[in-house]
Amino acid sequence: MTKASARNMFIGSTLVVSAILLVLTIMSHQSYPERTHPENITEGVAWGKKVWERHACIDCHTLLGEGAYYAPELGNVIARRGEPYVRTVLTVASTAGWGSTRKMPQFDLSEKDIDSLVEFFKWMGNIDTNNWPPNKEG
């Protein structure tokens, strides 16, 4: 192989791989509205996301596989545990923390914060993630 043919192979391969990456990126962005249903983002969902960020929940939990793996995945928590269980955890955690060995800290959550977090988790649970996480518990 000559130096010129190696260069041409490098340039051609780079162009082909870049074009494939560009097409996959465009296809991913075009599928977001269908997969995430942004029309279902209410004021409560947006407030729940702010509460999630304000308390840095992702430092312990994961959402759709992103975050720390210290505490359970919360992307599908409503389907997995049910809304009453989630409300109980958030209510107890808002005054005294939750759990024993891996204790969730006390966050001073208001009723609006709890309602909004539940709405946020419901919206997250309806995102089409192509069956991610691979098992029910995340």
Side-chain angles (χ1 to χ4, degrees):
M1 179 179 288
T2 65
K3 189 175 180 179
S5 64
R7 183 189 70 226
N8 291 338
M9 184 177 287
F10 169 76
I11 292 171
S13 300
T14 300
L15 290 174
V16 168
V17 170
S18 296
I20 291 171
L21 180 63
L22 180 65
V23 168
L24 290 175
T25 300
I26 290 170
M27 289 173 63
S28 293
H29 281 275
Q30 288 176 337
S31 71
Y32 286 162
E34 180 182 322
R35 297 172 65 180
T36 62
H37 299 285
E39 68 276 6
N40 295 337
I41 298 175
T42 63
E43 191 175 305
V45 172
W47 184 258
K49 182 178 182 285
K50 287 180 183 175
V51 173
W52 170 270
E53 293 170 345
R54 184 175 65 228
H55 293 293
C57 302
I58 206 160
D59 286 351
C60 295
H61 294 276
T62 55
L63 269 180
L64 310 179
E66 290 291 325
Y69 287 87
Y70 181 74
E73 161 73 31
L74 295 180
N76 60 357
V77 70
I78 297 292
R80 198 175 70 236
R81 300 285 187 216
E83 184 177 334
Y85 178 84
V86 173
R87 284 187 179 279
T88 300
V89 169
L90 292 173
T91 302
V92 172
S94 70
T95 58
W98 178 263
S100 55
T101 55
R102 291 182 162 194
K103 191 168 178 120
M104 185 171 155
Q106 186 261 333
F107 283 121
D108 292 324
L109 299 172
S110 68
E111 279 299 315
K112 178 185 177 188
D113 291 344
I114 292 170
D115 291 344
S116 298
L117 276 170
V118 168
E119 292 301 312
F120 176 62
F121 293 144
K122 284 180 181 176
W123 179 77
M124 289 297 298
N126 289 323
I127 292 175
D128 177 6
T129 60
N130 290 329
N131 298 321
W132 184 266
N135 61 50
K136 187 178 175 185
E137 294 298 322

